[in-house]
Amino acid sequence: MKKIVFLLLLMLTALGVAAQDRKITGTLTDKDTHERMEQAAVQLLRQDSSYVKGNVTDANGAFSIIAPKNGKYILKFSNVGYKTLYRNVSVSNDNNVSVGNIMFASSAIALKGTTVTANTAKVTLKKDTFIYNATAFRTPEGSTIEELVKRLPGAQVADDGKITINGKEVKKIKVDGKEFMVGDTKTAMKNLPTNIVNRIKAYDEKSDLSRVTGIDDGNEQTVLDFGLKPGMNKGLFSNADLAYGTHNRYAERLMGAYFNSKIRVMGFGSFNNTNDMGFPGGGGRGSFGRGSNGLNASKMVGTNFNYDNGKTFSWDGSVRWNHRNGDTRSKSSSENFVSSSKSFSNSLNQQFSRSNSWNAQMRFEWKPDTMTNIMFRPSMSLSTSDGRSASTSAQFNDDPYSYTDDPLSDKGISTIAEAGKMVNTSKSSSISYSDSKQFGGMLQLNRKLGNRGRNVTLRGDFSYNDGDSKSLSTNNVHLYQIKMKDNPLADSTYQTNRYNMTPTKTYSYSVQTTYSEPLWKATFLQLSYQFKYSYSKSDRATYNFSNLGENFFGTLTPQYRQWDSYLNLLDKPYTEYEDKSLSRYSEYKNYTHDIDLMFRMLRQKYQLNFGVNVQPQTSKFIQDYQGKYVDTVRTVTNITPTLDLRYRFSKVSQLRINYRGSTSQPSMTDLLDITDDSDPLNISKGNPGLKPSFTNNLRAEYNNYIEKHQMSIMTSVNYSNTRNSIGYKVTYDEKTGGRISRPENINGNWNASGMFIFNMAIDTTGYWNINTFTNIDYQNRVGYLSLNSNADSQRNVTKSTSVSERLAMSFRNSWLEVELDGSMDYMHARNNLQPQSNLDTWQFAYGGTINLTAPWGTSLSTDIHQNSRRGYSDKSMNTNELIWNAQLSQGFMRGRALTISLQFYDILKNQSNFSRTVSAMSRSDVEYNSINSYAMLHVIYRLNLFGGKQARRGGPDGPGNRRPGFGRPPMGGGRMPMMRMGRPMM
């Protein structure tokens, strides 16, 4: 018995000793906001200030470092925008040591431009939120946050400004958690400078209704939330960027902001004709033709404001004016999968456009007491747009590039016609104008009924739109396979010259109520009912001038709103040319009842929502077109099941599985048994037998963060299929190149995709970093194919697999960042009825980026990438493009408030403008005009006033914020003064 007791005591002693591993722990808290500090650098130094090891604080501001042995040490705490702190700590007898909660004070001086001296993690995770450390991604001097977002792992910014993060499209931008320019993601991306941003959060935000009621209505929005640097919530800052370049390129950008504890006001203005390209680098990283959709000039003036008294009332709003001029010249070549034989088409289009728009959005939220929430969102917009265009197109029965290098030239057309492969040519022009006035609003009242989660909500929505459009078009068609009846040796021709005037009016309103009933602890049954009425009316008057001769308008060139130059050539007033059969009146009324029943369960480890949506719908449709008057009523019921499961393995690791089924009904025009032959080459028919389609969407995502290695992992899998999807049976006439399309239900459309994002620091200090972004997508697209009007349509399947990969490795310290990266995009497509249309194309790129900052204020940013294409049938597309861009900047004045930079875009003049799309119906390649190679001189001035006199006194090189030595390691090394009571001994 004594031996057993002795052994137990020995084991307990051993366990006690083992439990003491010299672990130093504590937490960091922002002194001003009292929020826990995440991603702050913590370093353990010896008494001679030499580096031992380091770590960063986690999402709760906590840190832990294990001392290698007993002794006296110095803890160093640092973060961008904060004063560096030192604490003495002593470890003895292998005991653990807690330094408690340490208050971290922001440094207002640092706001004028700091140099990062601590290599914190690039990406961390907190529950289902991705947090990107903005200071870990170097951007050239003067860049906006668009350039920063492009560098985030898993982020993509398309040429049209569309942002995707972790495979989801970003729908809303926030600044420090406050709404910013609702409905407009471009304004923030193009105007907010990177030097004011400290971190970026990416997460899914619930709708206003779901946020206050807890009822999942499926209307989540992916948000990018840009956190400002510490201390910037009080004061004034502004940024002016004026630039002019070769080829008459210009880019001017102005921004100013005023913040205090309750009010935030931001104003913006930008004017440029550079397609908003930002920093040079458009040709890098495997991107072909970035910003290539023509030559565009834009002007924007806007303001955003936020008010929050911190208790009962908040107010957000934005107003903006946009003007845009476009000059787009596109050259396209397509292969059409509509016939079992070959069908090709080419086009050349020149389009000019201009537009003006005013938009205003507001949000008022009032909480008169802790149980009541009232929200109101009004909105309005006014817009006008003009367009004028001229185009030439042709269709062929064989690949035109087998006969000529220029299929649309007179010589090329003649050569192909002699070979008997010409089908038709078309020369067209048009002018158009439209204007629209819209306003609407949403009012929502929520009341909690006790503290157990019971609540009731009333909501109303209203919108109204009044529009008007005019268009005049001319079209001259030459048919090579059909001869004229009165002259068998001459090809057939016809013209369609028309003037359309189309006033439209739409409005809708809805009322909704929701109720949430607690069943037991953290478990709820939720019910929602909504009634919605919508109305739309269109009354198009068509004036037909098609029988006036082949070149009746041939001497005219399209000009904005110059209808009279065409109409004055007529022998009589244009109103006498009205064609009642082509004019169309339509009126649509829709009555919808939305009933949602949802079961919601909240637990510490998981959250489960599942339910069903039932939607009875009645539609009334009136149409008067082509001499047929239709007045019909349709009643349908849509049923949509949904499930959402979130399982949290830890605070930084989560699995989410989401399923949503949806029913969609055919449009009323598709259901009408009417043949529309207003365009002889594109005839459409209705199909009264169409069935509703049902789509299953399943998505699973998993993310994790391993703090020790600064490693973040995100992966997702998506699958969707559609039963009774609506496709179009296209009957192709080889003689005319014309098509007759009829909607049909078809099964077999499905797709699956997967994504994997990985980011990790290779070494313990965070100098070296590696990240990868992988996408795999498979699509099974089903359509119909037929040879001519006498042939039965055949089911045609196009199977395509696309794989994309981007791999990058970087090194960064306080003055240098070097990144090497490579990317690959592969497309594999197979067509079961037209194997000659199979595709195996590659786009790949490799190169590097360098950002260098010298202590005297000079910075150099450059990137060089080799972009290559392979596998295209048109050999001219199989190219190698070496794209080199660079920027040299120099800071002047105290705090580097003035910066002058010189940018060079596409120095070697190699960048092209090309894109490819593949569908079940066609493969299309498009090339656009642009100016990619030019130089631009920027003059940038920043004025920052924060924190009173101290902030106004110094910049990054001012007192208390000395810039680190050139090349000095950011985490340890070197000597520091001895410490006592947390302060340097001098």
Side-chain angles (χ1 to χ4, degrees):
M1 185 65 181
K2 292 182 178 179
K3 291 182 178 180
I4 294 175
V5 173
F6 176 75
L7 288 173
L8 288 173
L9 290 173
L10 185 62
M11 291 173 64
L12 290 172
T13 303
L15 288 172
V17 172
Q20 305 299 316
D21 53 6
R22 301 181 299 278
K23 182 183 292 186
I24 304 172
T25 59
T27 57
L28 287 182
T29 301
D30 187 297
K31 185 177 181 180
D32 297 323
T33 65
H34 298 286
E35 294 180 355
R36 294 299 172 90
M37 297 286 301
E38 55 183 311
Q39 291 302 299
V42 183
Q43 300 175 39
L44 185 66
L45 311 176
R46 297 184 179 89
Q47 288 293 296
D48 62 358
S49 301
S50 60
Y51 178 77
V52 178
K53 59 173 60 177
N55 204 345
V56 294
T57 56
D58 63 17
N60 295 315
F63 67 89
S64 66
I65 297 178
I66 297 176
K69 59 183 180 180
N70 295 324
K72 294 183 178 181
Y73 298 92
I74 300 171
L75 281 175
K76 177 183 176 181
F77 306 96
S78 60
N79 196 31
V80 176
Y82 288 83
K83 298 176 181 178
T84 301
L85 294 178
Y86 301 93
R87 292 289 186 270
N88 290 322
V89 62
S90 179
V91 179
S92 60
N93 300 324
D94 292 333
N95 289 329
N96 296 336
V97 178
S98 174
V99 297
N101 186 31
I102 297 174
M103 305 302 290
F104 221 0
S106 62
S107 173
I109 297 174
L111 297 172
K112 293 202 172 183
T114 58
T115 298
V116 181
T117 59
N119 280 5
T120 55
K122 285 189 172 183
V123 188
T124 58
L125 289 172
K126 184 177 181 181
K127 297 182 180 179
D128 55 356
T129 300
F130 282 76
I131 304 171
Y132 301 90
N133 176 21
T135 57
F137 299 91
R138 299 287 172 80
T139 57
E141 185 68 31
S143 298
T144 63
I145 58 174
E146 181 181 52
E147 197 62 37
L148 176 60
V149 170
K150 291 176 187 175
R151 285 163 161 74
L152 303 182
Q156 295 174 308
V157 181
D159 297 341
D160 60 1
K162 176 183 175 181
I163 314 162
T164 55
I165 188 83
N166 302 329
K168 301 177 182 178
E169 183 179 356
V170 174
K171 296 290 188 178
K172 182 185 286 188
I173 298 293
K174 288 189 172 185
V175 175
D176 261 357
K178 305 293 185 182
E179 290 190 351
F180 184 87
M181 293 289 182
V182 173
D184 176 21
T185 59
K186 291 184 181 180
T187 297
M189 296 287 284
K190 301 291 186 183
N191 290 279
L192 283 177
T194 58
N195 66 312
I196 69 173
V197 177
N198 185 44
R199 69 175 186 275
I200 305 172
K201 293 182 178 180
Y203 54 89
D204 292 330
E205 182 183 64
K206 296 182 181 297
S207 67
D208 291 334
L209 181 67
S210 182
R211 180 170 58 86
V212 298
T213 66
I215 296 178
D216 184 7
D217 57 6
N219 294 322
E220 286 186 341
Q221 289 184 320
T222 300
V223 174
L224 281 183
D225 188 349
F226 295 88
L228 302 183
K229 290 181 177 178
M232 295 190 72
N233 57 349
K234 292 183 180 181
L236 181 146
F237 63 94
S238 62
N239 193 88
D241 183 350
L242 308 178
Y244 190 79
T246 59
H247 301 286
N248 295 319
R249 302 293 92 187
Y250 64 86
E252 332 300 339
R253 184 179 295 114
L254 304 172
M255 187 210 71
Y258 171 76
F259 289 179
N260 64 27
S261 59
K262 294 182 178 181
I263 298 174
R264 295 184 175 191
V265 181
M266 284 185 166
F268 301 91
S270 65
F271 314 88
N272 74 83
N273 64 353
T274 62
N275 291 3
D276 288 319
M277 288 184 65
F279 171 70
R285 304 179 180 177
S287 172
F288 285 90
R290 174 181 175 265
S292 62
N293 293 357
L295 305 175
N296 297 292
S298 63
K299 301 177 179 64
M300 188 279 296
V301 176
T303 182
N304 188 88
F305 49 91
N306 309 98
Y307 170 81
D308 192 341
N309 65 8
K311 295 180 180 179
T312 60
F313 184 72
S314 62
W315 176 23
D316 303 315
S318 63
V319 180
R320 66 184 183 276
W321 168 76
N322 289 86
H323 174 82
R324 191 173 186 87
N325 286 317
D327 172 4
T328 304
R329 183 178 177 85
S330 61
K331 178 182 178 182
S332 69
S333 60
S334 302
E335 182 177 6
N336 307 298
F337 309 146
V338 295
S339 169
S340 57
S341 60
K342 297 179 180 179
S343 172
F344 294 82
S345 61
N346 282 55
S347 68
L348 182 64
N349 182 65
Q350 176 65 62
Q351 182 175 3
F352 298 94
S353 61
R354 66 185 183 187
S355 63
N356 281 283
S357 65
W358 283 93
N359 299 85
Q361 305 272 348
M362 291 188 185
R363 183 188 72 92
F364 302 90
E365 186 169 4
W366 180 39
K367 302 175 184 178
D369 54 56
T370 58
M371 309 295 284
T372 307
N373 180 288
I374 300 173
M375 185 182 299
F376 178 51
R377 282 186 180 271
S379 65
M380 62 82 64
S381 67
L382 304 171
S383 63
T384 62
S385 64
D386 285 278
R388 57 188 180 97
S389 67
S391 66
T392 300
S393 64
Q395 289 185 263
F396 318 92
N397 280 336
D398 200 0
D399 186 349
Y401 292 101
S402 301
Y403 303 88
T404 179
D405 293 332
D406 189 356
L408 294 178
S409 65
D410 292 339
K411 182 179 179 181
I413 290 175
S414 177
T415 300
I416 299 173
E418 290 176 0
K421 299 300 180 181
M422 281 298 307
V423 177
N424 65 52
T425 59
S426 172
K427 292 187 177 181
S428 61
S429 65
S430 69
I431 54 176
S432 62
Y433 168 78
S434 66
D435 68 74
S436 175
K437 307 173 187 66
Q438 182 274 331
F439 64 89
M442 181 278 289
L443 178 63
Q444 177 178 289
L445 168 64
N446 175 261
R447 177 70 180 179
K448 296 179 181 178
L449 307 176
N451 298 319
R452 296 184 58 219
R454 184 180 290 112
N455 66 77
V456 63
T457 303
L458 296 175
R459 172 175 169 145
D461 293 82
F462 175 79
S463 68
Y464 177 85
N465 185 286
D466 187 25
D468 190 22
S469 66
K470 298 179 181 179
S471 66
L472 193 152
S473 62
T474 66
N475 189 18
N476 190 6
V477 178
H478 186 153
L479 304 175
Y480 288 80
Q481 304 291 329
I482 296 179
K483 303 302 178 181
M484 297 182 66
K485 293 181 180 180
D486 57 352
N487 185 0
L489 298 179
D491 296 332
S492 178
T493 62
Y494 73 88
Q495 298 78 43
T496 53
N497 305 321
R498 292 168 185 165
Y499 178 43
N500 292 311
M501 302 176 67
T502 312
T504 60
K505 180 180 294 184
T506 64
Y507 64 86
S508 66
Y509 64 84
S510 66
V511 290
Q512 182 177 8
T513 181
T514 69
Y515 178 74
S516 180
E517 174 65 27
L519 300 178
W520 54 85
K521 184 177 180 181
T523 305
F524 305 89
L525 185 65
Q526 299 168 330
L527 177 67
S528 171
Y529 170 77
Q530 181 189 58
F531 170 76
K532 182 177 181 180
Y533 171 77
S534 59
Y535 171 86
S536 64
K537 182 180 74 172
S538 173
D539 190 5
R540 186 186 74 194
T542 299
Y543 305 91
N544 194 0
F545 319 126
S546 299
N547 300 320
L548 301 180
E550 183 172 348
N551 295 306
F552 187 80
F553 297 115
T555 59
L556 298 178
T557 300
Q559 300 294 331
Y560 291 134
R561 304 189 201 179
Q562 294 302 306
W563 328 101
D564 290 344
S565 62
Y566 289 81
L567 302 180
N568 288 339
L569 295 178
L570 302 174
D571 295 332
K572 48 189 177 181
Y574 76 89
T575 54
E576 297 187 24
Y577 291 86
E578 184 175 3
D579 191 328
K580 296 294 185 180
S581 65
L582 294 177
S583 299
R584 174 186 285 186
Y585 173 86
S586 62
E587 186 176 280
Y588 187 82
K589 299 177 182 179
N590 194 38
Y591 306 83
T592 304
H593 302 267
D594 244 311
I595 305 168
D596 277 289
L597 184 64
M598 184 73 66
F599 178 84
R600 187 179 187 214
M601 182 182 294
L602 303 176
R603 297 294 184 268
Q604 184 176 359
K605 279 289 188 179
Y606 67 89
Q607 176 179 320
L608 174 64
N609 294 345
F610 65 87
V612 64
N613 170 267
V614 181
Q615 187 185 75
Q617 184 181 66
T618 299
S619 302
K620 296 183 178 181
F621 183 69
I622 298 174
Q623 179 176 270
D624 188 0
Y625 183 48
Q626 293 192 332
K628 295 183 179 180
Y629 181 82
V630 176
D631 187 347
T632 184
V633 177
R634 179 182 62 174
T635 300
V636 298
T637 300
N638 300 323
I639 299 176
T640 302
T642 181
L643 180 144
D644 187 63
L645 171 65
R646 306 186 191 203
Y647 186 86
R648 187 172 295 117
F649 299 97
S650 66
K651 293 181 179 179
V652 295
S653 179
Q654 177 179 267
L655 172 68
R656 181 178 183 183
I657 300 174
N658 180 271
Y659 167 79
R660 187 170 291 271
S662 60
T663 303
S664 61
Q665 303 295 330
S667 68
M668 294 295 285
T669 52
D670 280 345
L671 286 169
L672 297 178
D673 191 11
I674 293 178
T675 299
D676 183 355
D677 57 0
S678 56
D679 181 352
L681 292 183
N682 292 282
I683 299 172
S684 63
K685 294 185 174 184
N687 181 1
L690 287 177
K691 301 175 183 178
S693 58
F694 186 88
T695 301
N696 297 287
N697 291 288
L698 178 65
R699 178 180 176 89
E701 7 177 292
Y702 169 78
N703 55 58
N704 193 13
Y705 179 69
I706 303 173
E707 183 178 328
K708 181 178 180 181
H709 301 289
Q710 296 185 13
M711 179 191 297
S712 61
I713 300 170
M714 192 273 181
T715 185
S716 68
V717 179
N718 298 273
Y719 172 80
S720 71
N721 65 30
T722 303
R723 186 172 68 249
N724 289 325
S725 63
I726 298 176
Y728 287 87
K729 268 188 178 179
V730 178
T731 301
Y732 177 70
D733 190 332
E734 285 189 317
K735 291 185 177 181
T736 66
R739 306 180 186 190
I740 301 175
S741 61
R742 185 174 187 263
E744 295 282 352
N745 289 118
I746 194 167
N747 291 315
N749 283 313
W750 65 276
N751 70 279
S753 62
M755 179 181 64
F756 177 73
I757 303 172
F758 176 82
N759 188 87
M760 185 184 74
I762 300 176
D763 60 333
T764 57
T765 58
Y767 286 113
W768 296 91
N769 190 277
I770 187 170
N771 67 78
T772 181
F773 182 25
T774 306
N775 265 307
I776 301 176
D777 182 78
Y778 176 83
Q779 297 194 30
N780 194 84
R781 293 184 289 259
V782 182
Y784 289 99
L785 181 149
S786 61
L787 178 60
N788 54 56
S789 58
N790 297 318
D792 292 333
S793 295
Q794 303 174 61
R795 179 186 171 97
N796 186 37
V797 180
T798 301
K799 300 178 179 180
S800 64
T801 303
S802 59
V803 180
S804 63
E805 166 67 27
R806 184 179 186 274
L807 178 66
M809 184 175 71
S810 63
F811 169 85
R812 61 188 172 96
N813 59 22
S814 61
W815 60 277
L816 174 67
E817 180 182 55
V818 179
E819 180 180 88
L820 299 177
D821 64 86
S823 64
M824 179 273 294
D825 291 279
Y826 168 66
M827 175 174 283
H828 171 86
R830 291 294 180 265
N831 190 301
N832 69 325
L833 292 183
Q834 292 181 314
Q836 71 273 16
S837 303
N838 294 342
L839 298 173
D840 284 284
T841 59
W842 298 79
Q843 290 188 181
F844 52 92
Y846 50 89
T849 303
I850 297 175
N851 289 285
L852 185 149
T853 303
W856 51 84
T858 301
S859 64
L860 171 68
S861 301
T862 185
D863 77 80
I864 185 166
H865 286 81
Q866 173 84 323
N867 297 342
S868 302
R869 287 188 292 248
R870 296 293 184 271
Y872 292 87
S873 56
D874 183 356
K875 302 302 180 183
S876 64
M877 294 297 183
N878 297 319
T879 61
N880 297 308
E881 301 175 3
L882 184 63
I883 310 299
W884 179 26
N885 309 281
Q887 173 178 308
L888 182 65
S889 302
Q890 176 64 52
F892 298 94
M893 302 175 62
R894 187 176 186 179
R896 314 296 185 206
L898 175 67
T899 300
I900 297 178
S901 68
L902 187 60
Q903 297 179 341
F904 301 91
Y905 294 78
D906 189 18
I907 298 172
L908 304 179
K909 301 182 179 180
N910 287 330
Q911 186 172 349
S912 66
N913 315 289
F914 171 83
S915 65
R916 161 165 286 188
T917 57
V918 177
S919 70
M921 303 297 294
S922 67
R923 178 269 306 159
S924 181
D925 300 329
V926 185
E927 192 170 4
Y928 293 93
N929 62 322
S930 68
I931 295 177
N932 295 325
S933 179
Y934 59 94
M936 181 165 279
L937 180 67
H938 285 257
V939 178
I940 305 167
Y941 181 76
R942 292 189 295 270
L943 174 66
N944 297 341
L945 300 176
F946 296 102
K949 296 181 179 179
Q950 184 187 24
R952 298 180 178 90
R953 189 179 60 207
D957 298 315
N961 191 39
R962 187 170 299 280
R963 193 181 184 92
F966 189 74
R968 178 179 174 180
M971 295 188 72
R975 302 274 299 181
M976 289 195 310
M978 293 295 291
M979 310 294 294
R980 178 175 295 170
M981 298 298 292
R983 296 180 179 271
M985 292 179 59
M986 304 304 292

